[in-house]
Amino acid sequence: MVITFMDLPIIDLDLFLSQPQDSPAVQDECKKAADALITFGALILRDSRVSESDNSIFLDLLEAYFAQPPSDIKKDERPELSYQVGVTLENTEKPKCAADEPCLRIIERLELSERPLDISAHSPDPKCRFFWKMGEKPTYETQFPGLNAPNVVPQAEHIKARWTPIMESWGESMKQAVESLADMACIGLGLPSNLFRDAGRYGPHLLAPTASDLVKYGQKDTILAGFHTDLNFLTIHGRSRYPGLNIWARNTGKRLPVKIPPGNHLLVQAGRQLEHLSGGLIKAGYHEVVVNDQTLQVVERRNVENPGRPLIRISSTFFWHLSSDYDLIPIPSLVERAEALDVAQIQLRGYVTDKPVYPPMKVGQQVQNELKHIALMA
Ligand SMILES: [Fe+2]
């Protein structure tokens, strides 16, 4: 069977928000959302509240920010806070997979034509990123204050004044969309509709635009972000101006080049916290960002249509987290389904998969473990 991006289901958030939760149409759409996360670890979301022009304003601001001299950008770095606010410069973050045995085995099991670009000789990623926290301050004493630090506003005069309103407005759109999708996933999984939303109420959510300099790193087959999964609960992306994001649908083993349809569409992918809480029923989705032929075509087109604009690929990414003090314990009804699915997969594929374990721990502990792995925390 040939799988194309068209197979990534489009979930209608407008329908969910406009009809009663117990209506058959809403129930079906929620089931479709949960099934998409189980099969693909990802889905496309349609949300009329999110406008293409807001995305555009956001991308323009971030292009201007990352076009500054590196010495100016460096002022916004906070290594003492594990880079969880402010900027992370290029060549800091290592893709976890490059040194991770279970992850390398996942690549080996993929058909040759479905594998990511070779990350064995690649480290760290040549990408910059800005973390803008979008979380609600916990009303209780948190065990993980370092992960709840205040935001950094860039110092440059031409950026400073418009920074906060644009980041807040775009971040809020993405947050609303992903939280509504979390409600849909709960309903589709047979859980109370607000279980995920409440578990993430005080999460250190991050609006996290990533920037890749396509002048410096614009050669075909350059890895901008190596094959990896995200450590948070759900990641949501707006449309980037440049193609290059590939995702892997875990239960099909296929690489899908992401093409988000124009107008009010977003991409949602499952992260490690959702994998842990669902006992592996929903697997964190692997992805990479590379320079491919399609990326180069857009570079050529923008050079003609937008001369003088910085050639920087911004990915409009938002990481939605569970609260740091939340107990990350797999939900029994989902663990049961995960085990049944594992048996079916083994029968289907004829090999035994690595059986991951999901020990109970605080979410903040899980985040710290993951950050050590990708070299952002000593
Ligand atoms: Fe990622």
Side-chain angles (χ1 to χ4, degrees), residues 31-92:
K31 173 106 181 23
K32 192 172 144 192
D35 289 348
L37 289 172
I38 294 168
T39 307
F40 296 91
L43 51 86
I44 303 276
L45 192 59
R46 178 164 50 232
D47 183 354
S48 295
R49 298 170 303 177
V50 178
S51 84
E52 183 91 35
S53 64
D54 281 354
N55 190 23
S56 212
I57 291 167
F58 172 78
L59 294 176
D60 286 344
L61 173 71
L62 270 298
E63 284 179 3
Y65 175 78
F66 283 107
Q68 295 181 98
S71 55
D72 285 357
I73 298 179
K74 209 168 166 56
K75 292 175 190 159
D76 304 327
E77 226 183 15
R78 298 290 181 273
E80 69 280 12
L81 295 171
S82 308
Y83 303 93
Q84 291 302 287
V85 289
V87 80
T88 307
L89 289 176
E90 60 189 48
N91 303 324
T92 302

Side-chain angles (χ1 to χ4, degrees), residues 63-201:
E63 284 179 3
Y65 175 78
F66 283 107
Q68 295 181 98
S71 55
D72 285 357
I73 298 179
K74 209 168 166 56
K75 292 175 190 159
D76 304 327
E77 226 183 15
R78 298 290 181 273
E80 69 280 12
L81 295 171
S82 308
Y83 303 93
Q84 291 302 287
V85 289
V87 80
T88 307
L89 289 176
E90 60 189 48
N91 303 324
T92 302
E93 184 175 331
K94 290 181 188 158
K96 178 181 170 182
C97 202
D100 188 61
E101 272 300 315
C103 180
L104 292 171
R105 279 205 292 278
I106 285 171
I107 296 178
E108 281 165 19
R109 289 204 190 104
L110 292 168
E111 302 265 334
L112 279 177
S113 61
E114 303 301 329
R115 288 188 189 171
L117 286 184
D118 185 7
I119 48 166
S120 53
H122 162 84
S123 68
D125 287 336
K127 65 172 184 203
C128 303
R129 186 165 60 192
F130 201 100
F131 272 166
W132 181 258
K133 196 183 145 248
M134 294 290 307
E136 199 178 321
K137 212 174 161 41
T139 50
Y140 47 84
E141 198 167 326
T142 172
Q143 285 183 35
F144 304 94
L147 301 180
N148 292 292
N151 275 323
V152 176
V153 177
Q155 301 185 14
E157 284 306 322
H158 67 294
I159 287 168
K160 205 174 177 174
R162 53 189 174 132
W163 184 264
T164 303
I166 293 176
M167 296 296 272
E168 285 292 319
S169 151
W170 180 247
E172 204 46 54
S173 290
M174 305 272 271
K175 183 163 180 263
Q176 266 189 7
V178 74
E179 287 180 344
S180 300
L181 185 269
D183 296 346
M184 291 183 82
C186 281
I187 295 169
L189 291 166
L191 304 170
S193 64
N194 53 355
L195 193 150
F196 293 160
R197 180 188 285 268
D198 288 352
R201 171 147 186 209

